[in-house]
Amino acid sequence: MTVRLPARILAGGAAAALLLAGCSPEKTGTATPAPSGSASSPSASSDPDVPKVTAPLDVSKYASKPCDIVPGSVLSSLRFTDPGHTQLQDDGFGAAGPGCGWKIAGEGVSMQVIIGTGNRDRGAGGLAGLYGAHESGQLPFLEPAPAVDGYPAIYLDKRDRRPIGNCVMDVGVADDIAINVYAGGYDGKDDSCAAAQKVASAIITTLKGA
């Protein structure tokens, strides 16, 4: 059954998919780059340094079941024991693509994953689309992240929230597909990004075995 992610998970927001046309500056949740042709943002970056994906991975198997893209053993090792909440693609928070959110009850700690098929379908997919959002000024914070099992990654957000325990990471799994991982409610930069990195690595392992 498809349900909407709880507001406290969505509010943490994976910036992988900020709505680049007509977005509200107060929203930190996930949306999507504007359709091609929008005057408010480019559909892809013009930066020649955008990293390329040399061994693309197929995400189609998980588009209808995004919670399955992270193994339960990895989630439980991070103390996420409650079932994930699925958000399939729609025109709202799910416009970037299908996603899943988990939380640790009573602690305000959450994890969110979004598979960026919606961004791809709008011509703003992959890391190139996210670099384009950065170049347009709508996602001002961008920093290269350590590669995830050989796949290029970036930290991207409206501002750097890692020092307050919210880490937003995007991993390019194909030139037109990025997977966003958001770890929120942690104590600081190191533990939030370590959690995001662990989930991102598990996703790569899952996709390689798909």
Side-chain angles (χ1 to χ4, degrees):
M1 178 178 67
T2 300
V3 297
R4 296 208 175 259
L5 295 177
R8 58 179 168 269
I9 293 178
L10 286 168
L18 184 72
L19 183 58
L20 299 182
C23 65
S24 167
E26 290 81 14
K27 287 186 177 180
T28 56
T30 304
T32 164
S36 298
S38 168
S40 62
S41 68
S43 61
S45 174
S46 59
D47 187 343
D49 294 326
V50 175
K52 298 295 185 182
V53 177
T54 57
L57 298 171
D58 182 7
V59 301
S60 59
K61 178 178 178 180
Y62 297 95
S64 62
K65 48 181 183 180
C67 292
D68 290 356
I69 203 168
V70 185
S73 59
V74 173
L75 291 165
S76 62
S77 73
L78 294 169
R79 301 189 301 116
F80 293 101
T81 56
D82 292 342
H85 294 272
T86 300
Q87 170 72 64
L88 295 184
Q89 188 171 337
D90 61 19
D91 292 329
F93 278 112
C100 188
W102 300 266
K103 61 185 176 67
I104 301 175
E107 295 189 21
V109 176
S110 62
M111 183 70 64
Q112 183 179 1
V113 169
I114 295 173
I115 304 170
T117 54
N119 289 344
R120 175 198 62 194
D121 296 344
R122 289 168 173 80
L127 295 183
L130 300 176
Y131 270 78
H134 172 68
E135 290 168 3
S136 73
Q138 298 197 44
L139 290 173
F141 172 70
L142 185 152
E143 182 178 296
V148 179
D149 298 340
Y151 287 81
I154 57 174
Y155 300 119
L156 183 71
D157 210 336
K158 295 191 75 174
R159 61 185 177 89
D160 186 2
R161 296 183 293 147
R162 294 175 300 172
I164 61 171
N166 299 324
C167 186
V168 183
M169 170 183 284
D170 290 278
V171 183
V173 297
D175 285 340
D176 60 353
I177 290 283
I179 293 181
N180 175 266
V181 180
Y182 165 79
Y186 285 83
D187 289 335
K189 174 180 177 179
D190 291 342
D191 57 348
S192 61
C193 288
Q197 183 90 13
K198 185 170 186 177
V199 168
S201 178
I203 289 171
I204 296 300
T205 299
T206 297
L207 292 176
K208 285 181 175 179

